[in-house]
Amino acid sequence: MGMSLIVKKVTQLVIALIYIFGMYIIFFGHIYHGGGFPGGLILGCGLVLIMLAFGKNMVLEKINLKTLRILGICGLFAYLIIGLLGFFKGSFLMNFIPMGRPFYLNSGGFIPLLNLVSGIQIFALLFLAIVSLTNFGRWVESFKIEPDEHAE
Amino acid sequence: MFVLYFLLGFIILSAIIAIETRNLLSSVISVGVIGFTLGIIFLLIGAPDIAITQMVVEIIVLVVLIRATVSIDNTTIEEHRDTFAVGASLVFFGLFLVFASYAFMDLPEFGKPLMRVARHYLSNSLADTGAANAVMGVLLNYRAYDALGELTVIFTGILGAMVLIREKGRKKIHEPRPTRDILERGE
């Protein structure tokens, strides 16, 4: 299953760079371009690349889909909990982390934290959506009506 | 400015090709070209964060469309064109364009915006939020509630789609129901 040997080897060489680039865009979202949304999408695309190159069965054996589902749900709830922690400083979603020097990684208050949380959620949910879509064709085909159903 | 008009004409040409061609793969690739050129336009008018997101979403949509459409056997489309439907949609679209052009005359000119709130955000973004990227400062500090709404929409949409596409819970006519769903089989 999957694609030819050249595609598999190139994927093995390149996938680490894709993941480092995706995490760079998430972690440095408050200084350089990017943020949580594009970073999570790039990480999800890396996993889809593995699924396309090596076949669906190999990926589904090695990756626990229940864990991905829990990660996707916890991402949204972590965002809500960070928002509720803002009540220590006044209102919902108020910044409660002291701000550091600008252009450094600890600047921006809780913006890096929100980036991380939304990136994890989008990565998990995107891969689950594409796995569900790849099963959709087989589910539709299993509803072919047998010939003796028409005879009434 | 001429480059933007040229890229816009390229998008229109690619959209016409996507509708009129008979080969299914050419049609899907033309849809991909539309999204890719839109990403380039976003780069040229100075919005790199949106350009990154547009490119990645376009790649995902293209991969899903190609996997969904090209694996079927019949790759050419033969259909009769419904003349009345096309004519009626052209008439209504023309009416919409006439009224919309009156509305667009009232908007401020492209490149000279009317920045009232945006002036405060741009000048105080580094001091209030501490983030050097003003886009992130607006998106996740001044307007963090809207980002929560976006994440909720993505969450609800994808979980709803996953529920609708499940194998479990659908009665099959001549086969026994599978005992565990594919999403729970990976344990």
Side-chain angles (χ1 to χ4, degrees):
Chain A
M1 278 300 297
M3 298 198 171
S4 64
L5 183 64
I6 296 179
V7 177
K8 285 182 183 171
K9 275 302 167 187
V10 169
T11 305
Q12 280 175 350
L13 290 173
V14 148
I15 194 67
L17 297 174
I18 292 179
Y19 269 87
I20 289 178
F21 184 61
M23 287 196 282
Y24 161 78
I25 286 191
I26 291 182
F27 282 120
F28 282 80
H30 57 290
I31 306 174
Y32 301 120
H33 307 297
F37 299 96
L41 282 174
I42 289 178
L43 291 182
C45 273
L47 214 51
V48 169
L49 174 66
I50 294 182
M51 188 168 84
L52 287 177
F54 287 94
K56 191 179 53 162
N57 304 323
M58 181 264 199
V59 168
L60 286 179
E61 281 168 17
K62 295 208 186 321
I63 290 184
N64 198 356
L65 287 179
K66 267 203 145 147
T67 311
L68 276 182
R69 197 161 49 169
I70 293 177
L71 264 183
I73 295 175
C74 284
L76 186 62
F77 280 105
Y79 198 104
L80 280 174
I81 289 176
I82 291 176
L84 286 176
L85 283 179
F87 274 115
F88 286 125
K89 283 279 180 159
S91 68
F92 188 58
L93 281 172
M94 187 80 94
N95 193 3
F96 60 94
I97 296 178
M99 290 190 259
R101 274 182 297 179
F103 291 99
Y104 275 72
L105 201 53
N106 58 349
S107 63
F110 68 172
I111 291 182
L113 211 54
L114 290 181
N115 271 338
L116 183 67
V117 156
S118 60
I120 289 178
Q121 183 204 348
I122 289 184
F123 155 65
L125 286 180
L126 181 75
F127 186 64
L128 281 178
I130 295 196
V131 162
S132 302
L133 280 178
T134 58
N135 279 332
F136 184 59
R138 267 194 287 138
W139 177 66
V140 166
E141 276 173 18
S142 72
F143 276 81
K144 283 204 178 72
I145 300 187
E146 305 285 335
D148 55 353
E149 294 283 331
H150 287 293
E152 297 194 35
Chain B
M1 197 68 176
F2 169 70
V3 182
L4 290 180
Y5 279 119
F6 171 70
L7 287 175
L8 189 64
F10 192 58
I11 285 183
I12 294 177
L13 183 65
S14 166
I16 294 177
I17 290 178
I19 297 176
E20 291 292 328
T21 184
R22 290 186 173 228
N23 193 2
L24 201 54
L25 183 58
S26 308
S27 172
V28 168
I29 288 181
S30 303
V31 170
V33 164
I34 294 176
F36 181 71
T37 313
L38 191 59
I40 294 183
I41 289 182
F42 282 145
L43 262 183
L44 286 177
I45 61 178
D49 304 73
I50 301 181
I52 298 177
T53 311
Q54 167 71 27
M55 290 294 191
V56 181
V57 168
E58 183 54 43
I59 289 176
I60 293 174
V61 164
L62 200 60
V63 162
V64 168
L65 270 179
I66 288 184
R67 288 284 288 219
T69 61
V70 175
S71 56
I72 64 179
D73 292 328
N74 185 19
T75 56
T76 62
I77 315 170
E78 312 254 344
E79 262 182 19
H80 276 304
R81 180 170 312 185
D82 192 358
T83 321
F84 178 69
V86 171
S89 63
L90 276 178
V91 162
F92 283 118
F93 197 66
L95 275 179
F96 167 73
L97 273 181
V98 163
F99 286 112
S101 64
Y102 281 118
F104 287 152
M105 298 291 181
D106 276 343
L107 292 177
E109 202 180 312
F110 183 65
K112 300 175 181 49
L114 191 62
M115 318 208 298
R116 285 186 192 160
V117 184
R119 188 168 294 130
H120 170 83
Y121 284 168
L122 277 182
S123 45
N124 299 0
S125 165
L126 191 55
D128 284 345
T129 69
N133 191 358
V135 174
M136 275 299 128
V138 170
L139 184 63
L140 286 180
N141 194 330
Y142 286 121
R143 308 275 190 209
Y145 198 60
D146 298 334
L148 176 64
E150 268 181 52
L151 283 178
T152 308
V153 165
I154 291 178
F155 177 79
T156 312
I158 292 186
L159 279 191
M162 273 166 52
V163 163
L164 283 177
I165 298 180
R166 281 167 81 92
E167 291 173 16
K168 186 169 145 173
R170 307 273 176 183
K171 291 205 191 106
K172 292 196 182 145
I173 307 196
H174 289 298
E175 296 170 18
R177 255 196 299 191
T179 49
R180 274 184 310 171
D181 191 18
I182 184 143
L183 290 173
E184 294 173 0
R185 228 177 273 153
E187 278 176 346

